Structures are given as C-alpha cells and as structure tokens.
C-alpha cells in the first residue's frame, strides 16, 4: 500500500503552503441611519416590534413621517405579519426611496408569493439602486417562475449584477429554476466582478443538481481557472454534488495545492463522496495540512470510508503534534477495528470535555462488548456533555439491532428523566422506536414534557413533541392538539405540534395553527443604547488572539443591548466556543452551561436585518423564531441562506484570521465593549 507522502508529512512537518489571510470583505450593512437612538418616535416603533404588534405597525405605515414609515416597514420584516402584506405593497409606490427599500425587504421576509407581481412591477420602473437591490432580493425569496423570468430579463445597472446573481441563488434554494436560469449562472461563473461569480457559484451549492447539471462543463472550466477564493470553494462543493469520477483528479489537486483553506475544506468534503483509492490517498495526505479545519475535514471524510488504514488512524491519534480536533474524527476507525484500548488511551490523555465526549461518540461505531459497557456507564455521567455523547453512541449501537431492548430503554429513559437539555434532546427521538412502546414510552415522554418549561427548555420540548408524534398509544393526537391550539404555548412548540399532527393524521388533512401571540421578552433600555452608540465594538480576547466586532445598534437594538450588557458583566469571560463547523461558523457565548444548550429564561426577539451574511458577519444562534439568547456565531465565509433567518447584528473588522483559527473548546478569555462616542 502506497502511503509514503502522509508519513513524510507527519514526520517531517510537511504541509500545504498557506498565503497570509486576506482581510474580510465588508458586507453591505444595508440600511442607512435613521437617527433611531435620538428619536423617541422611532423608538416607539421598535417597541411595537418587540411586542410583535403587527396591527399597530401596519397603522404606522401610513404615518406622514417617512422615517416612521420606513422604520415600521423594516420592523415588519421581523414580525412577519401576513396581514400587513397589502399595506406593504402600497409602500412600493412611496415617494421616498428609503421607504420603498424597507417595504421590499419586509415583503421578502413574509414569504408571501402573492407579493411577487407587485415586486416585479416595481422592479421594472424603479431607478434607485438601493431599492432595486431589495426588490431583487425579495423576488428571490418569494417569487415564482414568472418572477424568475422578470429577474433574468430586468435591465439593472452593472453595479447591481451581484444583487441579481444573489437573487437567482435564492430562487434556486427554493427549487424555482429554469434552463435560462442555469444558463445565466453558468455564463457568469467567470464574471469579472468577484461578487457576481461568488453568488453564481454559491447558487449551485444550494439548488437542485439536475437543474444545472447541463452547465457541468462550465463549472469545471471555472474551477480550473480560479486560483482561490470563495467561488472556487463553492465550485468544489458543486463538483462534489455531481459526484462524477471525471472530477476526482481536479478535486484531489485542489486539496493539495489550493492556497485558500476554504477551497481545500470543500475539496476534502467533495472527495468524501468518491470511493476511489485516489480520493482516499488525497485525504490521507491532507491530514498534515497546515490548517486544522482542512485536516479535521479530511479526517472526518476518512472516518466514513471502509478502506482507511488502521495504521493511519493510530499514527494520527498518537501524534502529539496533531490537534485533538484532527485526531477525534478518526477514532471511529479505531473503534471499528476493535482497538477500544487505543480509543480509551486517547481519551485518558485529553483534558477537555469536548474531546472526551468525542471519544465516547466514536465507540458507537464499535460492536465490542467492552465498548458497550463503557457507554452504559458514561450515560449517567454528571457532565451532560459526556452523558449526551454516550447516549448518542448507544443510539448508534441500538440501531444495529443486536441487543435486547430493555437495557437500552432503561438507559434512554434515565437520560430523558434527567430533564437536561442535552440528554433529553438526545434520547427523545430514540424512544420513539416502536420496540420501546410496550415499556410505556408515551407516558414517559408526556411526563417529562410536563416537567419542562418554555422558553428555557424549548429544544428538548420540541424533541419530545416530535417523538410523541411517532408513538401510537391512542392519546397522542389529543396531546398534540392541546399544544397546537394552546394560546399560552410557545410558538415553536405550537409549530412542532402542528407538524407532528400533519405527519400523524391521514393524508390530505392539514392542521393549521392560528394566533397564540409571542412569548415574554425584555424591553429596550434606550438610555443604555444611547450610551453604547450606533456602532459599539465588542472586543474578544480569545485563546487564538483578538477579534474586534463592530455592532449595528440601529439594525438590532434589542440584540445589541443583550450582548453589550452580557459582556459588561464579564459573563463571556472564560466561555468556550462549543461549536465550530469548517468554512461555516464558530459559535460560542453559552455562559450558562458552556455546551451549547444554555440560555436565559427570557429570550430576545429575532431581529431580521438587511445585513448580509458575508465573511465575518456576526449573528445570533436560535432554536426557532424569537428564541435567541446569549449565544452568537461568526461566519467563516459568505452564507446567504442565513440572510433574513437569523439575526445579523455586526461584522468582524479585525481578527478574521483569528476567527478562522478557532477550534472547538477554545475560549473567550475576556470580552469587553467599547462604546461608539
């Protein structure tokens, strides 16, 4: 077996040569200032937004003051009240461009397809660039086939071609495509404007493959022509979706030679779809990549293969120079080979709970009795991160069907009764298995559900609702109907119950949920926000270096209030980044539990803004609309599918290279806020 390149790299420190990180391109912050922090009238509109008072906001759309009309329209982009759509459509004719832009944004946020005609008509006659950009975006989010044709045929200034490309990507995300759509995207993969080619390439990663398969030759030509950048990373992902053996060589070459780590990550992921030895060897060599995200991605791809040599996994696991985040993905290879001793030895060398949890997760790939005993023992560990990992691994073992149900049920039931967010969320889906029904699964699920409270426990409560929807004991429908129609239920719970009922009931039955209002939230302290200013900076000193984030108070006032108060209270100090997904996001801020399941009892509202998710955009983690707490994330690269779905409230202005270097478990050593004077 030929594997000398890997061992040379491991022993001699060989690696891919990386260029210095480029500063992040500043995303368009979108909305111009309207003087919110000094205007009581506009602050009153935001207070209505926080209260989710759609009727009052719709009335404000008729205000004689254009700033109020614009702010009310912008607010409705977060409230998403379908009853306000007719009034918003009329504002597309408003004499003020700022009002028209916010109205277009809000219509795009409603997902009301009936707005497409009005948006398309406005697009044909609009002359203001900022409004055209929002009209294109709204059509991409809501439009149908005729609206797609309107966007393709629209005459827009050349400076707005990136907005058209992004709108076409949004159409593709929703499966609204055509031959002309595919032809336009394929013809712009090598556009002179990097933003156009980036959005065109991104569209291929989120659209049905068959819709653009005919452009495969252009995709390959563009991939071969581009040296680096986000377009190359997206094209690598697109080639992986094609899964054509003809692309194996170019992807392997990119993994070894691209100077952009994002492209190497996507090439590694794409190669995971190829069973060929050439793909395996390219991934093996990438284990020595200078960037930990590339090496970890290659390791994860290798762990999914049946032909990854045990010697490679052992060498990496025992190499002290390798980060644990690169070693851990290969532990399942050891577990499948029966090397439980090596997995345990690796775990014993780790000091952090994330690493030890990864070792337990790996044991789920083993059929060894010793590994099974260790998982049952760890399932009751005091640390919920350890227990949840063990329970998840037991779920893998249970699915093999080789063991009796009672022992597994007892472990899963114990995890559920802990009423802990992590363990309950992990085991609720497992308990829906019909093999457990005879043990009283349905009663147990309802019993634990009654012990939980929203919004603090929304995630495990949703998991239990979904599990109950799959259990048949005769009482599940009444239980779900009670939640779906409960006026005091959390919106996320009502939605989950509705979905479970629609899955549960006979074909053709459609259960809808009306009313119910929103959960309680904190009000806005306008004096506090006046003190921090329009663009306060959040400075994070991390284990990897300093990150400076510029926040936009006017776009997301309630969010900025929460973040600045939390940082001022030193609550972020010492908190780990519990989630890192290569070429996507790093996420942290959970000072309650430090595992990603923590948050305040009173959430803040979703504040959907016109800030685009480009490289270095900072957004709020969420378990559904209006469930934001204290957790935030920072993007590694552009993620347009997050636009308008997760609160975006700022951007990295210094230290994107630090963000890119952060791995799971790295900490925020100190967080502080510098007001914008």
């Amino acid at each position: 077996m030929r594997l000398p390149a890997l061992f040379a790299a491991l022993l001699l420190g060989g690696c891919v040569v990386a260029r210095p990180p480029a500063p992040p391109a500043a995303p368009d912050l979108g909305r111009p200032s309207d003087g919110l922090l000094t205007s009581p009238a506009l602050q009153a509109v935001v207070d209505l937004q926080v209260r989710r008072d759609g009727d009052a906001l719709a009335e404000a759309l008729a205000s004689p003051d254009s700033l109020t009309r614009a702010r009310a329209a912008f607010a409705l982009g977060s409230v998403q009240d379908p009853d306000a759509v007719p009034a918003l459509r009329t504002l597309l004719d408003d004499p003020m461009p700022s009002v028209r832009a916010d109205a277009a944004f809000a219509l795009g946020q409603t997902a009301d397809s009936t707005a497409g005609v009005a948006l398309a008509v406005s697009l044909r006659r609009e002359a203001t660039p900022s409004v055209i950009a929002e009209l294109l975006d709204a059509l991409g989010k809501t439009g149908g086939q005729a609206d797609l044709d309107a966007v393709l045929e629209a005459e827009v200034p050349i400076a707005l071609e990136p907005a058209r490309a992004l709108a076409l990507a949004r159409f593709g995300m929703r499966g609204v495509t055509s031959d002309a759509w595919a032809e336009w995207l394929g013809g712009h993969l090598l556009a002179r404007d990097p933003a156009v080619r980036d959005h065109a390439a991104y569209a291929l990663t989120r659209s049905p493959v068959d819709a653009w398969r005919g452009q495969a030759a252009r995709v390959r030509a563009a991939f071969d022509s581009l040296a680096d950048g986000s377009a190359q990373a997206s094209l690598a992902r697109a080639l992986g979706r094609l899964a054509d053996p003809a692309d194996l060589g170019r992807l392997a070459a990119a993994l070894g030679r691209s100077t952009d780590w994002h492209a190497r990550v996507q090439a590694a992921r794409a190669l995971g779809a190829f069973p060929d030895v050439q793909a395996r060897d390219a991934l093996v060599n990438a284990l020595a990549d200078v960037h930990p995200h590339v090496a970890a991605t290659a390791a994860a791809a290798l762990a999914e293969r049946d032909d990854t040599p045990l010697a490679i996994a052992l060498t990496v696991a025992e190499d002290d120079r390798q980060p644990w985040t690169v070693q851990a993905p290969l532990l399942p290879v050891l577990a499948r080979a029966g090397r439980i001793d090596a997995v345990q030895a690796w775990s014993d060398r780790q000091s952090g709970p994330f690493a030890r949890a990864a070792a337990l997760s790996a044991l789920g790939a083993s059929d060894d009795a010793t590994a099974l005993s260790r998982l049952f023992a760890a399932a009751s560990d005091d640390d919920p991160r350890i227990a949840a990992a063990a329970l998840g691994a037991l779920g893998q073992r249970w699915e093999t069907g080789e063991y009796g149900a009672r022992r597994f049920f007892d472990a899963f039931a114990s995890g559920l009764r802990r009423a802990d967010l992590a363990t309950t969320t992990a085991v609720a889906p497992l308990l829906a298995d019909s093999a457990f029904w005879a043990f009283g699964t349905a009663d147990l699920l309802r019993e634990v559900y009654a012990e939980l409270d929203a919004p603090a426990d929304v995630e495990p409560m949703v998991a239990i609702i979904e599990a109950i929807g799959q259990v048949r004991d005769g009482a599940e429908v009444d239980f779900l109907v009670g939640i779906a129609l409960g006026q005091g239920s959390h919106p996320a719970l009502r939605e989950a119950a509705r979905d479970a009922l629609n899955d549960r009931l006979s074909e053709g039955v459609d259960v809808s949920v009306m009313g119910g209002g929103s959960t309680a939230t904190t009000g806005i302290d306008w004096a506090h926000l006046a003190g921090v200013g329009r663009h306060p900076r959040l400075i994070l000193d991390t284990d990897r270096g300093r990150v400076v984030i510029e926040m936009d108070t006017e776009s997301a006032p309630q969010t900025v209030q929460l973040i600045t108060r939390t940082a001022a209270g030193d609550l972020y100090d010492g908190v780990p980044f519990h989630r890192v997904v290569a070429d996507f996001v790093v996420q942290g801020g959970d000072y309650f539990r430090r595992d990603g399941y923590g948050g305040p009892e009173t959430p803040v509202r979703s504040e959907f803004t016109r800030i685009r998710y480009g490289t270095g955009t900072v957004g709020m983690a969420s378990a559904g609309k209006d469930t934001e707490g204290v957790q935030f994330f920072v993007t590694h690269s552009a993620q347009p599918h997050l636009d308008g779905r997760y609160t975006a409230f700022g951007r990295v202005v210094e230290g994107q290279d630090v963000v890119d270097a952060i791995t799971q478990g790295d900490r925020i050593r100190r967080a502080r806020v510098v007001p914008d004077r």
Side-chain angles (χ1 to χ4, degrees), residues 252-263:
L255 178 56
R257 294 199 297 263
S258 176
T259 58
D260 188 284
W261 73 266
H262 307 82

Side-chain angles (χ1 to χ4, degrees), residues 428-453:
L430 301 171
L431 286 167
D433 193 308
S434 59
F436 298 136
W437 294 0
F439 303 134
T441 293
D443 288 338
L444 173 64
L445 288 167
R446 287 190 287 265
E447 172 192 331
V448 174
Y449 183 91
E451 297 173 0
L452 302 174
D453 291 305

